[in-house]
Amino acid sequence: MAKLLEGKPIAEKIKEEVKLKAAELKSRGITPKLVAVQVGENQASAVYLRSQQKVCVNTGVDYQLLTLPESISQADLAAEINRLNSDSSVSGIIVQMPMPAQIDGRAIQALIAPAKDVEGINPTSLGLLVLAKPLFTPCTAAGVMELLKTTGEKLYGKEVVVVGHSEIVGKPLALLLLAEFATVTVCHIATGQRGNLPEHVKRAEILVVAVGKAGLVKGEWVKEGAIVIDVGINRVGDKLVGDVEFDEAEKRAAWITPVPGGVGPLTVAMLVRNTVVAAEKT
Ligand code: NAD
């Protein structure tokens, strides 16, 4: 039976460190501040925004939610980002996705000054990640690495299979794993459509799934003794579940993350950690 790889205690430890760092910065006259930019109101992001705010308040990081009109133009939104870039009281900026149709969200994210890109998602941040010299690492991918670290398992040469190749999770995670010399296979929609997912999953010593489809990965595909990190969050009835069939996978894996309570708590912890790091540098 697998050991549970819980994110909460690790996230709490990180938040305690952030709190100490924020207090120390304040004693030097620096107040870390995170600004979240949202265009219009979006139900899907409301939960994430509330949890950002709560964690910031609890760790002594100032938080501002800047809600701009749904009808804002690309140029006006760009001007807002440039204003935040040059505001020395702002340490970190995040732009909440999705954006309304008239906005090119990627182009907006690309305008965030690299020193304030605490989500690590603009082209400069991702480029530095390719060079294994990240300024800021995308928060969820960094959270997965923290979870792996707590297992004590060495990544060097390990067979790691990442299912999902999004810009915010799968791709940056693959780069972080490569920097540790893991042997990384990245699976995605085409792998699934060709029916090749089981064969890849079956040989994974470390399996990370970030797709957003409940039950996509069958428990019986999981290799005996594997580490299973389930990033997926899916609502099934009134429950939240991951992408991996937990009950069956738990019987075979050595470690497995619960959903909720696995990767989730780490994402916001990484965001505030990046914000105090950004504050110290500005
Ligand atoms: P995304 O929608 O941007 O990407 C989904 C990925 O899954 C793509 O690479 C796609 O090719 C792949 N995919 C789709 N169907 C597949 C199939 N049948 N077989 C194999 N691959 C398939 O997703 P995302 O933004 O990376 O999020 C993925 C999941 O992780 C979602 O459930 C999201 O809610 C969750 N998530 C959780 C956190 C957290 O903090 N815990 C953070 C980010 C995302």
Side-chain angles (χ1 to χ4, degrees):
M1 200 60 120
K3 283 182 266 187
L4 265 192
L5 194 45
E6 290 185 281
K8 225 172 176 174
I10 310 165
E12 287 308 319
K13 207 166 140 244
I14 292 167
K15 285 188 271 180
E16 276 311 308
E17 288 163 12
V18 169
K19 203 170 172 175
L20 289 175
K21 190 77 206 168
E24 192 239 309
L25 287 172
K26 278 183 184 169
S27 74
R28 291 200 266 139
I30 303 165
T31 302
K33 180 176 177 182
L34 177 64
V35 177
V37 179
Q38 163 179 254
V39 176
E41 304 261 342
N42 188 305
Q43 278 307 325
S45 22
V47 178
Y48 186 47
L49 288 170
R50 267 201 304 278
S51 107
Q52 277 169 15
Q53 180 162 29
K54 192 172 147 213
V55 174
C56 283
V57 169
N58 291 344
T59 50
V61 171
D62 276 6
Y63 181 82
Q64 184 195 349
L65 174 59
L66 182 62
T67 304
L68 298 166
E70 180 93 36
S71 58
I72 195 168
S73 67
Q74 184 85 13
D76 287 350
L77 182 53
E80 283 292 339
I81 301 296
N82 287 330
R83 183 182 64 74
L84 295 169
N85 280 342
S86 50
D87 181 342
S88 62
S89 75
V90 176
S91 330
I93 304 166
I94 70 173
V95 174
Q96 212 58 52
M97 295 294 174
M99 288 277 157
Q102 80 276 12
I103 301 291
D104 177 348
R106 290 263 171 85
I108 294 297
Q109 283 179 325
L111 290 175
I112 299 172
K116 298 189 179 189
D117 180 30
V118 288
E119 280 193 304
I121 35 73
N122 82 11
T124 303
S125 304
L126 292 171
L128 289 169
L129 197 59
V130 172
L131 300 172
K133 299 243 179 295
L135 205 51
F136 296 111
T137 306
C139 301
T140 303
V144 171
M145 295 303 283
E146 285 293 324
L147 284 167
L148 288 174
K149 214 194 285 174
T150 61
T151 66
E153 201 66 44
K154 294 268 172 294
L155 296 172
Y156 196 88
K158 280 271 154 58
E159 288 292 331
V160 185
V161 174
V162 178
V163 187
H165 77 323
S166 70
E167 271 88 31
I168 60 161
V169 188
K171 283 183 191 167
L173 179 61
L175 292 168
L176 290 169
L177 290 161
L178 283 173
E180 300 295 327
F181 288 89
T183 305
V184 185
T185 302
V186 181
C187 303
H188 42 70
I189 183 79
T191 322
Q193 284 173 348
R194 277 199 72 189
N196 291 346
L197 204 50
E199 80 184 52
H200 290 293
V201 170
K202 279 178 183 171
R203 54 178 187 75
E205 296 173 287
I206 296 173
L207 172 68
V208 185
V209 189
V211 172
K213 288 189 178 153
L216 174 74
V217 171
K218 305 297 167 214
E220 70 202 34
W221 301 348
V222 170
K223 190 179 172 74
E224 287 287 340
I227 298 172
V228 179
I229 310 242
D230 194 346
V231 184
I233 304 173
N234 309 287
R235 185 163 285 285
V236 175
D238 59 355
K239 276 182 70 183
L240 287 182
V241 299
D243 294 338
V244 179
E245 279 183 352
F246 185 89
D247 291 349
E248 202 50 42
E250 186 190 27
K251 292 179 198 158
R252 308 170 66 88
W255 290 93
I256 189 166
T257 53
V259 177
V263 183
L266 283 165
T267 298
V268 188
M270 292 300 168
L271 183 65
V272 284
R273 177 149 98 180
N274 283 349
T275 304
V276 290
V277 171
E280 189 161 36
K281 285 184 179 161
T282 47

